[in-house]
């Protein structure tokens, strides 16, 4: 399923010192202060066009397989022109905020006493790899699956990893994450890339496409695969994660991968009992 193209024009303001980000961000206040103060003091309100434009014919060269490819000169022009989705300052600010995805550990493992558990970024990365190696499926855009996997937990850079044990209702969790995502996209500077991130996140959150169905399954498959690995590494029995995902996988591919993980776990547990 191809991404929808939006035709709109927005006026983007630089991000404010959001009380939401300062209250809910898992990184320290000192880091947040440095992050926002590092923005250019000369940032001003500017229009950003979201209308796609066809390349000039002389900027497209035929590739080795006959497909069109942009020349280096035209690519350089596009990245520096008014159609660029974010400035270098916006991009680095956004990526700096995403750093917390690499350092924030997944809370479910912490609650079960796992030493040195995976980070949010670790989890999203292996989900993206799952999308990369999955076989072709009718009506499924694998590249879009990879994008959704990378984006689906990105708001946790601000809100952190909210788990069922936190007692936060599903609707409230979604509200917090959407607000955080909007904050991040404002930091990015708006434009086409920010809009795409919001669209991908909403698609996953609402389970609104075949790609979202599959990535939802990857989320659960990655969870039980990690649980299997931690059981072997730490000598634990992590039944909770296998029980919480049972019967919730939607696609045949997801079911087949989950069945393989369960088969390996059952064999290991049987061997352990003998």
């Amino acid at each position: 399923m191809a991404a929808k193209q939006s035709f709109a024009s927005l006026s983007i303001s630089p991000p404010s010192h959001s009380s939401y980000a300062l209250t809910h961000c898992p990184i320290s206040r000192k880091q947040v202060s440095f992050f926002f103060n590092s923005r250019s003091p000369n940032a001003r309100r500017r229009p950003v066009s979201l209308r796609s434009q066809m390349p000039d014919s002389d900027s497209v060269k035929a590739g080795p397989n006959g497909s069109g490819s942009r020349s280096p000169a035209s690519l350089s022009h596009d990245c520096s022109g008014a159609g660029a989705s974010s400035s270098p300052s916006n991009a680095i600010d956004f990526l700096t905020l995403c750093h917390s995805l690499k350092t924030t550990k997944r809370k479910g493992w912490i609650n079960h006493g796992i030493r040195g558990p995976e980070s949010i970024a670790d989890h999203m990365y292996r989900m993206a790899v799952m999308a990369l190696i999955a076989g072709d499926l009718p009506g499924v855009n694998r590249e879009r699956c990879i994008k959704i996997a990378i984006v689906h937990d990105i708001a946790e850079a601000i809100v952190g990893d909210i788990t069922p044990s936190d007692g936060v209702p599903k609707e409230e969790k979604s509200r917090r994450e959407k607000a955080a995502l909007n904050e991040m996209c404002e930091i990015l500077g708006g434009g086409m890339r920010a809009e795409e991130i919001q669209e991908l996140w909403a698609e996953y959150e609402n389970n609104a496409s075949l790609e979202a169905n599959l990535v939802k399954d990857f989320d659960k498959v990655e969870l039980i695969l990690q649980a299997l690995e931690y059981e072997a590494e730490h000598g634990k029995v992590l039944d909770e994660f296998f029980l919480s995902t049972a019967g919730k996988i939607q696609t045949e591919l997801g079911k087949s991968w989950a069945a393989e993980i369960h088969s390996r776990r059952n064999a290991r547990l049987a061997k352990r009992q003998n």
Side-chain angles (χ1 to χ4, degrees), residues 207 213-225 241-242 244-262:
N207 204 17
N213 297 163
L214 187 57
V215 179
K216 287 272 188 182
D217 284 356
F218 289 158
D219 185 50
K220 298 175 180 67
V221 170
E222 205 287 323
L223 176 69
I224 61 174
L225 178 56
F241 300 96
F242 295 93
S244 67
T245 56
K248 295 182 180 179
I249 295 180
Q250 309 167 81
T251 65
E252 292 306 312
L253 177 62
K255 290 175 182 177
S256 67
W257 286 9
E260 176 65 22
I261 294 169
H262 279 278

Side-chain angles (χ1 to χ4, degrees), residues 79-174:
C79 291
S80 61
S85 58
S86 60
S87 69
S89 177
N90 289 133
I92 297 304
D93 284 349
F94 179 84
L95 293 171
T96 299
L97 181 56
C98 287
H99 172 73
S100 64
L101 296 169
K102 298 168 64 176
T103 58
T104 303
K105 305 302 182 183
R106 299 249 289 166
K107 195 179 295 181
W109 308 125
I110 295 174
N111 293 344
H112 281 77
I114 300 299
R115 298 183 304 277
E118 66 170 349
S119 68
I120 298 167
D122 292 333
H123 169 65
M124 293 196 297
Y125 174 77
R126 187 153 64 174
M127 284 176 60
V129 173
M130 289 177 173
L132 179 66
I133 69 171
D136 292 332
L137 298 172
V140 174
N141 183 328
R142 285 173 55 254
E143 290 185 3
R144 189 165 183 83
C145 289
I146 294 170
K147 290 182 178 182
I148 293 173
I150 293 171
V151 164
H152 84 286
D153 278 342
I154 199 168
E156 293 181 11
I158 289 179
V159 301
D161 183 23
I162 302 173
T163 67
S165 64
D166 295 317
V168 178
K170 183 177 180 180
E171 295 76 13
E172 173 61 14
K173 178 178 183 290
S174 181

